[in-house]
Structure formats: C-alpha cells, structure tokens
Amino acid sequence: MNVMFVCTGNTCRSPMAVSLFTKRLNQEGRTDIQCRSAGLAANEGEGASWNAVKVCKEMGIDLTYHVAHKLRGGDFMSTDVFIVMEQVHKDILVEAGVNPGLVYILGGGIPDPYGKDLETFVQCRDQIISSLDDLEDFLDNRAEEVYRQMGRN
C-alpha cells in the first residue's frame, strides 16, 4: 500500500509523521506499507524546520535529509491512501477527486507548529506518535474495506 502524508508546507508535520510512522513500520518488520510526504503549498526543495529536525533527532530520526515536495498530479496516481493533518487538507483532496474514504485525518487533526517554539514541536511530535496506533488500524482495516467496495484488491 502506498501512503502519502500531506500537510501544508511539507516542512513540519508531514515529514515528522512519515518518519515516525516509517520507523514504527520498520520496527514491526512491515514491508507492505510504503510512505512518502508532500505539502499542498510546499516550496519545492525547502528543508525540514529546524525544530522538527531537533524533536525527531530525540527519537533517533534524522530529518536533515528531507526536501519539501509539492503534491502533484502524478502523486494522485501513485497513492492508495492519503494521511492529512487537518480537515481543510481532506476537503482539498476530496474536491480534487480523491475518495473521501481514502483520506484519513491523523489524530483527528494535528495543529501546525510552523514558526512556533520547540515545546510546540514536541507537543506536535507526541500527538503524532499517540495517533499511530489508530492510523495503523485504519490502514489495516478501513482502507482495505474501501478498496473492496471500489472493486479493487
């Protein structure tokens, strides 16, 4: 399954979420889920926020490699499920034609820490981490059900 984590600028939330979730999948030995991230209004080539780099480093994750990617048409064709950070992100994707059942709002919504202090980034990271069980359940159950209803396996 190909999963795309989506936020606004692809410098804070979605890079943290994709890295934290990928680390979890690797620890579980799962290879059935491939993850990427993008932003709806990303500045292509921009690096991750320094506060995002710092709070992920505490978890053994190196975000210094991250380069922002703007969501493009080809991404829609290669993505099975979109994981978004806010309702507005879901609304935009559904308006663009994505099946609403294949757009998941992580944690019920993850506030944007962009431009805020380190403690706000810690809170954001911890909220993402606390949302990963529900995300994995969604990917293992609900997304598969939506694909069955669509006639895809």
Side-chain angles (χ1 to χ4, degrees):
M1 177 181 309
N2 293 310
V3 175
M4 177 73 76
F5 287 81
V6 178
C7 67
T8 304
N10 194 223
T11 60
C12 303
R13 295 172 290 177
S14 57
M16 288 194 296
V18 73
S19 297
L20 290 163
F21 192 56
T22 298
K23 179 179 180 178
R24 176 189 174 121
L25 293 172
N26 289 340
Q27 289 171 335
E28 294 174 355
R30 291 193 69 171
T31 58
D32 58 320
I33 300 173
Q34 290 75 47
C35 303
R36 298 173 295 139
S37 70
L40 295 172
N43 277 337
E44 288 280 339
E46 191 173 337
S49 160
W50 281 114
N51 281 340
V53 171
K54 289 176 191 174
V55 301
C56 283
K57 186 175 182 179
E58 293 173 2
M59 306 303 293
I61 295 169
D62 181 8
L63 277 186
T64 59
Y65 71 89
H66 177 74
V67 177
H69 170 73
K70 187 172 184 176
L71 191 66
R72 291 192 170 87
D75 295 321
F76 290 92
M77 301 306 294
S78 62
T79 301
D80 299 311
V81 179
F82 292 88
I83 311 304
V84 299
M85 303 300 137
E86 298 178 48
Q87 180 66 48
V88 68
H89 300 143
K90 181 174 183 172
D91 294 343
I92 291 167
L93 292 176
V94 169
E95 187 174 310
V98 176
N99 181 317
L102 298 174
V103 183
Y104 179 84
I105 303 173
L106 187 65
I110 307 287
D112 193 353
Y114 183 78
K116 304 221 168 62
D117 63 11
L118 187 62
E119 181 56 33
T120 303
F121 276 80
V122 169
Q123 292 169 1
C124 180
R125 177 202 65 202
D126 292 349
Q127 185 179 2
I128 290 168
I129 291 170
S130 70
S131 303
L132 296 181
D133 284 342
D134 289 341
L135 170 59
E136 196 164 0
D137 287 345
F138 170 81
L139 292 174
D140 289 342
N141 299 306
R142 179 68 183 127
E144 292 296 327
E145 176 62 26
V146 170
Y147 273 112
R148 277 193 295 279
Q149 290 172 2
M150 293 170 60
R152 291 174 55 186
N153 292 330

